[in-house]
Amino acid sequence: MFKESPIIRRVSRQIMVGNVPVGGDAPITVQSMTNTLTTDVAATVAQIKALEAVGADIVRVSVPTMDAAEAFREIKQQVDVPLVTDIHFDYRIALKVAEYGADCLRINPGNIGNENRIRSVVECARDNNIPIRIGVNGGSLEKDIQEKYTEPTPEALLESAMRHVDILDRLNFNEFKVSVKASDVFLAVESYKLLAKQIDNPLHLGITEAGGLRSGSVKSSVGLGLLLAQGIGDTLRISLAADPVEEIKVGFDILKSLKLRSRGINLIACPSCSRQEFDVVSTVNALEQRIEDIMTPMDVSIIGCIVNGPGEAMVSDLGLTGSSKKSGYYLDGIRQKERFDNTDLVDQLEQRIRAKARSMSERLDEKNRIDIKTKD
């Protein structure tokens, strides 16, 4: 089995979003976006903290009005995670949130206004050491590009992106990342592949408007998986019509499956069949909910019978292999004398997983140490 990812990442320059590096040799970051009214400061802060609690590296906040910009000022003072402000059309909003501590400006320079207004925003970003994200979307291409191509195509998205890139290049500003999102998987993938050949700036990945929790997760996994497997992508957002917390979970699951990030428990579980000696499905579902707060990287295998169980357990940090009445327990690939009663597996597994996570976290350096909650 692969212990490390065989993926060779595209070489990109690095920018800083607050204290989080994006691009270069930095880990691929996972972000989400609040869906509360930004003017509702309490609700927005609560959602940002919920996202941070499940591992969000970066959070984006829409700032459509000056009232929202004033609210952002309060929000920024109450959270720790870097915040990207999403701004369209009104350049004055960009200037205001930069003053209030935005960690990144998500704009399209071409829709901010005339050259003087664009220059004002770029100079403000430069003066405050704030990067910019150019965000191209297949559903909102410029009118002349729509007329030229008649429909969204990879070449159309690339032309739109490079139009905005050229503006920043003329202003000698290179602290930016770019996205070329589309709701169609093939359109998004081909657009990113074209863009990756044109610039060395970090790329922000996403399948926009992907759908609900299940369908959107599948579509995003396929599209982003195709790109990430080719080494393309420095930060990502899973766009779901669901609780934004789920976007972070799915994002990390995608990266874990490709061995590009290791954060939290990687559960290896069989789909179950008539050979199972305990109810695998209910055990895994209950356990997954209980241990989602653990961020220590760990492989845990839960297999219902002895056919594949021992093999998986021997390459896991902690493993369970189903057997009659009592199941076998493996730690660091070694079978233990201790056996688990099949009638009380969830409690026993959670206890051992938390103990193992504590011991593993003690070996991490202070910068990466993770506190593990202890159940009463």
Side-chain angles (χ1 to χ4, degrees), residues 6 112 136 157 340:
I112 287 295
V136 173
L157 268 69
F340 289 173

Side-chain angles (χ1 to χ4, degrees), residues 248-267:
I248 299 298
K249 294 178 181 178
V250 173
F252 272 109
D253 283 344
I254 291 172
L255 293 178
K256 283 195 294 187
S257 70
L258 295 170
K259 299 187 185 298
L260 290 168
R261 284 285 294 267
S262 54
R263 185 185 181 99
I265 306 299
N266 176 34
L267 273 176

Side-chain angles (χ1 to χ4, degrees), residues 44 118-119 133 161 194 228 289 306 335:
T44 305
I118 297 170
R119 184 180 297 275
R133 172 160 81 88
L194 289 177
L228 292 166
Q289 292 182 358
I306 60 172
R335 180 157 184 164

